Amino acid sequence: MATSNGGGNKYRSYLTPEDLKTTQWRAGPPDYTVIDKFFEEGRTKIWPAGSFEKYVQHLVKTWEMELVHKANPDQYKTLDPKKFVLGINRKKYFTLEETGKIGGSYNVFLQTSLPPELRFYDPDQETYESSQTAFRQVFPRGFALEVVQVYSGHPVIAYKYRHWGYMEGSYKDLPPTGELIEVFGMAIFELNKESKIVKIEFFHDRGELLAGLLKAKPSEGVGCPFMA
């Protein structure tokens, strides 16, 4: 996948002015101005131009952009929509169609086998819109992503990643803490001969994100059963 974007975003492909006009977006074209600035201020790695690590980070960010923002799977350019599957901790795998029905990246990555009554965040009860609204409020500057190490090359790419953000907004009845929330994980991207993604596996602890939210004390007069 090329990293020259013809006037588009420097960290993601397929965001040229023409792409922004012709792509079917879920909620309008994405604006990465704030999150990219936040990413540059907080990243721990600056990969040199032409390095494989830079290529992997660019691929991951572009794929994530398509998953979150593109409404029409036929317009995904990073993957093969007919063969693509996504796995979380090797417990469950989703096709692209199933991923779309679940509703966005947060609902996919926060999948759980916990009984519903024990779920602080229940992806089965959230939609794309509700999950995006909730976490954009929690992380006003975004929940940034960087690749911190790459372990293997094409066609099966294994890498370590870091997500981070500051809880500068409230989550339901939990007020902002201003504290850093980080999630580290591993991922494996399997690509075909055309360098299109056909399989992704993520390995992470969803509790790293949710525990950061639970550090906040409930608003006065509001109880939280998970903080007893």
Side-chain angles (χ1 to χ4, degrees):
M1 183 180 67
T3 58
S4 176
N5 299 318
N9 183 276
K10 61 182 175 180
Y11 298 115
R12 303 162 188 83
S13 293
Y14 317 126
L15 287 172
T16 65
E18 182 63 22
D19 289 322
L20 295 179
K21 289 189 294 184
T22 59
T23 301
Q24 297 175 40
W25 303 105
R26 285 180 179 266
D31 183 350
Y32 285 101
T33 305
V34 174
I35 183 64
D36 284 350
K37 182 175 185 295
F38 181 65
F39 162 75
E40 291 171 351
E41 292 172 346
R43 61 187 168 180
T44 62
K45 301 286 186 178
I46 300 179
W47 300 115
S51 67
F52 189 67
E53 290 87 353
K54 187 177 181 68
Y55 162 81
V56 172
Q57 183 167 266
H58 193 95
L59 172 63
V60 175
K61 284 178 175 286
T62 301
W63 169 78
E64 186 180 55
M65 175 274 294
E66 293 192 313
L67 175 69
V68 175
H69 295 289
K70 288 190 175 182
N72 183 357
D74 291 335
Q75 293 187 319
Y76 284 36
K77 298 180 180 180
T78 57
L79 54 79
D80 182 334
K82 294 182 179 179
K83 296 183 179 180
F84 177 79
V85 291
L86 170 63
I88 305 296
N89 294 329
R90 287 199 170 175
K91 292 183 178 179
K92 196 170 184 179
Y93 290 84
F94 305 96
T95 64
L96 187 58
E97 181 180 2
E98 290 169 335
T99 301
K101 290 179 179 179
I102 291 171
S105 58
Y106 286 107
N107 285 341
V108 172
F109 296 124
L110 293 176
Q111 287 291 304
T112 179
S113 57
L114 283 172
E117 64 272 15
L118 297 180
R119 298 179 184 181
F120 171 62
Y121 178 90
D122 189 349
D124 293 342
Q125 300 300 317
E126 301 289 346
T127 64
Y128 168 83
E129 291 77 13
S130 68
S131 65
Q132 290 295 309
T133 298
F135 285 102
R136 283 174 181 166
Q137 179 168 300
V138 172
F139 303 118
R141 292 186 288 167
F143 198 48
L145 165 71
E146 69 170 337
V147 168
V148 295
Q149 191 167 356
V150 178
Y151 300 102
S152 63
H154 194 288
V156 181
I157 302 170
Y159 68 91
K160 180 181 179 180
Y161 63 87
R162 169 183 174 245
H163 269 293
W164 76 98
Y166 289 88
M167 189 182 178
E168 297 167 324
S170 61
Y171 178 75
K172 296 185 178 180
D173 296 320
L174 301 178
T177 64
E179 291 189 11
L180 172 67
I181 296 177
E182 291 181 291
V183 176
F184 290 89
M186 299 282 296
I188 301 172
F189 275 41
E190 184 176 330
L191 281 61
N192 63 17
K193 294 181 180 179
E194 290 74 41
S195 294
K196 301 290 186 180
I197 304 166
V198 293
K199 184 178 181 180
I200 296 177
E201 292 189 90
F202 282 102
F203 302 91
H204 64 260
D205 179 1
R206 70 193 292 270
E208 289 187 348
L209 170 56
L210 300 181
L213 303 181
L214 281 166
K215 287 182 180 179
K217 295 181 179 180
S219 300
E220 186 175 351
V222 178
C224 179
F226 299 94
M227 307 255 324

